[in-house]
């Protein structure tokens, strides 16, 4: 018997991120809690709004949420960027974490970092 899921079900999971994410942080290591993503490992952060996310069909199947590119994000703390985190600041929730290409960041009061657009994809059941 084949498995299936309606796009609305997958979209529901993606909508939790789209409607609640208010901050994206660039982190030095994988955060596992809101506090780690928001402060302990945060090297840079940028405000996010629902308009920074776009839902579409997945690249192979299912659905995806594209996170908009952000440029000129002020580097607050020097370190090596290894992860991105999406946060719900109002509810102190760590919503999503992904890896990035490792990059050394240096905070000097004016250095910035750019984050390209990236996707969160949930595939159809196999």
């Amino acid at each position: 018997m084949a498995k299936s899921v309606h796009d609305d079900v997958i979209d529901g999971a993606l909508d939790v991120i789209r409607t609640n994410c208010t901050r994206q942080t660039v982190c030095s290591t994988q955060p596992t809690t809101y506090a780690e993503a928001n402060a302990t490992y945060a090297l840079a952060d940028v405000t996010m709004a629902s308009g920074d996310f776009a839902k579409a069909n997945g690249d192979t199947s299912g659905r995806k949420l594209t996170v908009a590119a952000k440029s000129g994000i002020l580097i607050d703390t020097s370190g090596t960027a290894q992860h991105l985190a999406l946060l719900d600041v109002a509810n102190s929730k760590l919503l999503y974490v992904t890896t990035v290409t490792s990059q050394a960041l240096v905070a000097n009061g004016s250095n910035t970092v750019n984050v390209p657009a990236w996707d969160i994809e949930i595939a159809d059941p196999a």
Side-chain angles (χ1 to χ4, degrees):
M1 176 180 236
K3 300 175 187 175
S4 69
V5 63
H6 194 277
D7 285 348
D8 289 352
V9 175
I10 297 173
D11 283 350
L14 299 174
D15 282 341
V16 169
I17 295 169
R18 184 180 61 80
T19 60
N20 294 296
C21 178
T22 54
R23 180 176 296 152
Q24 178 175 228
T25 58
V26 179
C27 297
S28 60
T29 194
Q30 180 181 352
T32 59
T33 66
Y34 174 84
E36 289 176 349
N38 193 50
T40 309
Y41 303 137
L43 304 175
D45 64 87
V46 63
T47 299
M48 302 294 284
S50 61
D52 290 320
F53 302 92
K55 286 187 298 187
N57 285 327
D59 292 336
T60 12
S61 73
R63 301 284 286 163
K64 70 179 176 182
L65 186 68
T66 299
V67 182
K70 293 290 187 171
S71 60
I73 304 167
L74 185 64
I75 299 168
D76 300 315
T77 304
S78 296
T80 302
Q82 295 185 16
H83 290 81
L84 292 176
L86 298 178
L87 309 175
D88 173 352
V89 175
N91 296 297
S92 300
K93 288 183 181 179
L94 174 58
L95 298 173
Y96 194 87
V97 176
T98 192
T99 57
V100 297
T101 301
S102 183
Q103 178 183 352
L105 303 181
V106 178
N108 70 357
S110 62
N111 282 352
T112 60
V113 63
N114 299 327
V115 175
W118 57 282
D119 296 334
I120 299 168
E121 192 158 342
I122 301 175
D124 287 331

